[in-house]
Amino acid sequence: MTQHYTRISTNVDILISKHGSQKTADIIESMALAKTIDLCTIDLQKAIIQEVSKQFKINIKLLETSDATIYKQARKSCFYLLNKHATLSHAQIRQKFTKLNKTKSYVGHYIQQMKSIIETPNVDKLHHKIHVDIETTIIKFITTKREPKSEK
């Protein structure tokens, strides 16, 4: 029995070194809950968050916690894209952004606000442009299954 635990521990360490602790936790949780493991979906979620941070020129670590307007705009795009392209429910998005106390009530509201910005681009032209750039990159990522590269 001890050799099994050793094998498990060794393989968990390998997963962490290859994929990081968050993705490893997602993989183990998926297995424990008998879900289908879809690393492409996990990679897509990571790509969305990274691309939002890159395009908005913000610190990815502050995406969850900052109340600055630019971070709120970034969260709107992020929540919208996670919902639309990674097909995460509002509850799943809330789980991903656990540090943000207001997330419980804001996910649906932010997604609706982002839909309005998309439908009426003249209201917030800059946010609309950044969002379109992010979404274009994410669509390229989805179709090619590789890390997004923004075009300047």
Side-chain angles (χ1 to χ4, degrees):
M1 176 89 74
T2 305
Q3 77 185 51
H4 296 298
Y5 287 115
T6 303
R7 280 182 52 215
I8 291 168
S9 177
T10 300
N11 287 315
V12 167
D13 288 343
I14 291 168
L15 279 173
I16 291 171
S17 69
K18 285 184 178 180
H19 303 289
S21 59
Q22 179 63 46
K23 191 181 293 185
T24 299
D26 292 341
I27 292 167
I28 292 170
E29 182 180 33
S30 294
M31 291 171 65
L33 298 174
K35 294 179 183 175
T36 304
I37 298 171
D38 185 357
L39 292 178
C40 291
T41 301
I42 294 168
D43 288 341
L44 176 59
Q45 293 170 22
K46 182 179 174 183
I48 289 169
I49 293 167
Q50 287 176 340
E51 191 62 21
V52 165
S53 297
K54 181 179 176 182
Q55 292 283 346
F56 277 94
K57 297 178 175 87
I58 59 170
N59 183 331
I60 197 167
K61 293 176 183 176
L62 295 177
L63 180 60
E64 277 190 71
T65 56
S66 178
D67 281 333
T69 301
I70 191 77
Y71 285 90
K72 290 177 184 178
Q73 290 175 331
R75 279 194 295 273
K76 287 176 193 176
S77 287
C78 192
F79 292 176
Y80 176 84
L81 293 167
L82 287 169
N83 181 254
K84 180 179 178 183
H85 294 293
T87 62
L88 293 183
S89 67
H90 294 189
Q92 290 169 316
I93 294 169
R94 279 193 292 276
Q95 285 178 330
K96 252 190 145 17
F97 288 84
T98 56
K99 292 179 188 168
L100 187 65
N101 295 331
K102 302 170 190 166
T103 304
K104 186 168 185 156
S105 59
Y106 278 48
V107 172
H109 180 69
Y110 274 6
I111 290 171
Q112 286 304 317
Q113 283 186 338
M114 195 63 237
K115 285 180 183 176
S116 294
I117 290 168
I118 292 166
E119 291 168 3
T120 54
N122 291 334
V123 174
D124 189 347
K125 290 179 184 180
L126 181 59
H127 190 181
H128 181 269
K129 185 198 176 316
I130 293 171
H131 177 80
V132 169
D133 291 345
I134 295 167
E135 191 158 26
T136 301
T137 302
I138 294 305
I139 291 169
K140 286 178 187 176
F141 174 82
I142 292 167
T143 58
T144 60
K145 299 289 190 236
R146 59 188 153 112
E147 288 298 322
K149 298 235 186 291
S150 297
E151 297 177 284
K152 297 247 175 177

